[in-house]
Amino acid sequence: MSLPNPDLLLIETMRALSNNQLTLAQQKIDELVVAYPHFQLAHLIRGDLLLMHTRPLQGFGSAANSQPEKLKELRDEAAARIRAYQQRPAPDAIPRVLVQLKEDQKQALVVDAKRSRLYVYDNQAGLPKLVSDHYISQGKFGINKFKEGDQKTPIGVYYITSRLSGSKLPDFYGPGALPLNYPNEWDKVNGRGGSGIWLHGMPSANFSRPPLASDGCVVLTNPDFLRIAASIDIGRTPVIISEQLEFISAQQWQQERQSANKLLDDWRLDLESQNANRIFANYSRNFKSAQGEDLNAWFAKQRPSWEGWTAPIVRLKDITHFRYPGKDEMLVSTFTMELSSGKSKMSSRKRQYWIKESNKWRIIYEINV
């Protein structure tokens, strides 16, 4: 038997309260407490409701004998849960960050820090479809992690690297953890450090935490963590953490996907041409290699390789595109490049970070992965 949706029960309780239906509100909150006995917020609201039968209340949490800071945390959680549920994206809307998934990426996890929400999208024949969304806690000091110990959650495109069983971890992490590959290559080139950014659950004595409560990890309730952990693929499931998601129509998404694929195909054709000027024009003047070289130094090293090709044919496959979260307009594209040169054939997996400069997309970072 599946557990009821805690956010829906919370909304139904509040709706009954606003309509002065105290009996219905009591019924809904009791259902919530029975389903989730460690849900502190539910107990707080239940206490309010019981007291309302005897006297009017001055505000949310009036019945509690809580410290002001603790009460504020519970109020913040209630506000985040209700707001996110009320603002849930339309079933056919797509997060703009999910430009293109490859066939073996069955799911994508997308985090909206401002909404304290994680959205799970299934890859249905290439089209991302919303299947569930979940309340999350993030770093105590919000987003934009930069260094070890800053208690911030990073924003970017990441992958789950392993699965850690709760039996091998302290109770603090609940039933398990899913480590992310933070810092990724783009974090490193931008000087971002730190480690140990995980998706994980809750201690057994708790149901949830306030919206800003972790040391940088993304924290879920234990039922939500178990549901998500059961369906992810290690190394394949992307986790995209944004400050605030933008949702677009399927038609607009299709247009953006086509534009991203054309961008990559134009680069492929320029590479195939072996024309140095055409190839060079794809790259940003601010390009930096993994070794810290600027564009001119890096390009001079690459040039002999493609100038030595014989009647080259370049094919790209297994392509993913994601809008990279942050203040800059960026696209990260990962693909397998197959090269036929004369009688020889080569294959490599590449990742390119594209940035929009003066209304033109250019590659600012490129690496073999």
Side-chain angles (χ1 to χ4, degrees):
M1 179 180 168
S2 62
L3 291 169
N5 184 316
D7 299 310
L8 178 57
L9 281 176
L10 203 58
I11 290 276
E12 289 175 343
T13 302
M14 296 305 187
R15 189 181 294 133
L17 268 174
S18 66
N19 293 331
N20 204 30
Q21 297 172 299
L22 289 188
T23 303
L24 179 59
Q26 190 75 56
Q27 177 190 325
K28 294 295 179 185
I29 204 65
D30 286 347
E31 190 180 339
L32 189 54
V33 168
V34 168
Y36 304 102
H38 301 307
F39 195 178
Q40 288 178 293
L41 175 60
H43 283 283
L44 181 74
I45 296 170
R46 188 172 183 271
D48 279 350
L49 271 166
L50 291 170
L51 198 60
M52 284 175 75
H53 291 289
T54 61
R55 63 179 174 85
L57 297 184
Q58 299 302 311
F60 175 66
S62 298
N65 185 22
S66 300
Q67 297 174 350
E69 186 180 338
K70 182 65 178 173
L71 195 55
K72 181 187 179 300
E73 290 175 347
L74 291 169
R75 284 172 173 155
D76 289 345
E77 180 180 349
R81 285 179 175 276
I82 292 168
R83 184 173 59 246
Y85 200 84
Q86 288 173 334
Q87 297 173 0
R88 197 170 192 255
D92 57 347
I94 300 170
R96 198 174 179 214
V97 292
L98 292 181
V99 183
Q100 180 166 307
L101 296 165
K102 62 189 178 90
E103 193 176 334
D104 67 355
Q105 288 175 315
K106 298 171 187 173
Q107 282 191 331
L109 309 182
V110 188
V111 173
D112 185 316
K114 197 164 187 178
R115 290 185 176 94
S116 298
R117 210 76 184 170
L118 181 149
Y119 300 86
V120 180
Y121 280 82
D122 271 359
N123 181 3
Q124 296 187 4
L127 186 71
K129 282 288 185 185
L130 179 64
V131 290
S132 63
D133 59 297
H134 311 270
Y135 170 80
I136 57 108
S137 297
Q138 58 188 287
K140 287 175 184 150
F141 295 103
I143 54 165
N144 282 318
K145 184 171 186 62
F146 190 75
K147 62 182 181 180
E148 188 78 44
D150 62 9
Q151 295 182 307
K152 292 184 177 182
T153 297
I155 60 170
V157 178
Y158 302 102
Y159 290 88
I160 294 166
T161 59
S162 60
R163 191 191 306 264
L164 304 178
S165 168
S167 62
K168 297 179 181 177
L169 294 169
D171 181 60
F172 178 80
Y173 297 101
L178 302 170
L180 304 182
N181 67 323
Y182 174 86
N184 64 22
E185 59 274 348
W186 184 243
D187 292 318
K188 289 173 184 174
V189 84
N190 284 284
R192 298 188 192 107
S195 60
I197 299 299
W198 298 354
L199 303 184
H200 65 78
M202 293 288 305
S204 54
N206 300 96
F207 178 69
S208 58
R209 293 166 75 177
L212 302 176
S214 81
D215 287 336
C217 292
V218 174
V219 184
L220 296 129
T221 68
N222 291 343
D224 288 346
F225 174 83
L226 289 169
R227 180 178 176 181
I228 289 166
S231 61
I232 61 99
D233 288 327
I234 303 302
R236 287 197 183 94
T237 301
V239 180
I240 304 173
I241 306 173
S242 298
E243 179 175 9
Q244 185 169 15
L245 291 172
E246 180 185 353
F247 294 92
I248 58 176
S249 67
Q251 182 182 7
Q252 187 181 345
W253 171 80
Q254 195 71 256
Q255 290 169 350
E256 295 208 358
R257 188 175 73 150
Q258 288 169 359
S259 296
N261 281 319
K262 184 180 186 306
L263 186 69
L264 203 56
D265 198 52
D266 287 346
W267 170 83
R268 178 191 68 80
L269 291 170
D270 290 341
L271 195 62
E272 216 171 50
S273 77
Q274 299 174 275
N275 182 302
N277 291 333
R278 281 178 59 180
I279 299 169
F280 193 82
N282 287 279
Y283 291 83
S284 167
R285 297 285 179 179
N286 297 314
F287 179 92
K288 280 282 186 292
S289 75
Q291 288 72 40
E293 302 156 317
D294 65 14
L295 178 59
N296 290 327
W298 178 83
F299 196 79
K301 278 187 177 179
Q302 306 301 312
R303 190 169 179 168
S305 173
W306 47 258
E307 282 187 340
W309 296 344
T310 304
I313 297 171
V314 178
R315 295 185 180 89
L316 307 181
K317 66 176 191 178
D318 297 330
I319 300 167
T320 68
H321 299 295
F322 302 114
R323 284 259 178 182
Y324 203 89
K327 58 179 174 50
D328 295 317
E329 195 166 358
M330 287 184 61
L331 185 74
V332 55
S333 302
T334 309
F335 54 90
T336 298
M337 185 179 104
E338 293 181 339
L339 167 68
S340 297
S341 169
K343 292 183 178 180
S344 65
K345 292 186 177 181
M346 290 163 276
S347 178
S348 60
R349 187 83 180 153
K350 288 186 176 292
R351 181 166 295 145
Q352 294 175 335
Y353 288 81
W354 294 76
I355 190 166
K356 206 167 196 180
E357 299 174 330
S358 304
N359 217 32
K360 180 171 172 58
W361 287 99
R362 291 186 173 90
I363 300 164
I364 194 164
Y365 186 72
E366 180 176 311
I367 192 171
N368 285 344
V369 292

